[in-house]
Amino acid sequence: MLNEFRTFIARGNVLDMAVGIIIGAAFTAIVSSLVEDIINPLIGLFTGGIDLSGLGVTIGGGEHTAVFAYGNFIMAVVNFLIVAWVVFLLVKAVNAAQDMVTGKDEPEPEADPEPTEKDILVEIRDALKAKA
């Protein structure tokens, strides 16, 4: 079992995944700083200085108070959208670089359209005529 585990870990795709996770963790810190230090102040500028991360609704009172912090949710959505956009741009750049290396600048020609039922029947008829 230990040998199987060693073989599994030694595969290239597992190592690539580990590197991706480590880089992703570091990238999260950068995006968090971007959102907290740049995006939030810009949003606050357009909304009259409102800090979205502090928005919430308090329900109940006393010991049983609950706070729905929807401002934090909004900032998490903004954070996600920024990460998704940057990942999209990175994938697009990598694909463009691969296309330049492989010489695939032109789009692939479209495949022949699917034959219709009539086309198939005509082929069968012609094949039967040829045998007769």
Side-chain angles (χ1 to χ4, degrees), residues 43-54:
I43 291 173
L45 179 68
F46 291 116
T47 60
I50 296 173
D51 180 17
L52 293 179
S53 62

Side-chain angles (χ1 to χ4, degrees), residues 19-35:
V19 170
I21 290 170
I22 292 168
I23 290 174
F27 185 69
T28 300
I30 292 170
V31 171
S32 295
S33 175
L34 175 68
V35 170

Side-chain angles (χ1 to χ4, degrees), residues 87-105:
V87 168
F88 168 74
L89 293 177
L90 286 173
V91 168
K92 189 172 174 117
V94 168
N95 287 341
Q98 284 178 340
D99 288 347
M100 285 179 25
V101 169
T102 60
K104 282 179 72 176
D105 292 337

Side-chain angles (χ1 to χ4, degrees), residues 11 16 97:
R11 289 184 192 166
D16 291 343

Side-chain angles (χ1 to χ4, degrees), residues 110-120 123:
E110 290 187 26
D112 292 334
E114 290 288 323
T116 63
E117 184 178 345
K118 181 179 178 183
D119 295 333
I120 295 170
E123 280 185 41

Side-chain angles (χ1 to χ4, degrees), residues 61-77:
E63 292 180 20
H64 305 292
T65 302
V67 176
F68 291 104
Y70 63 87
N72 286 335
F73 176 74
I74 292 172
M75 294 318 307
V77 169

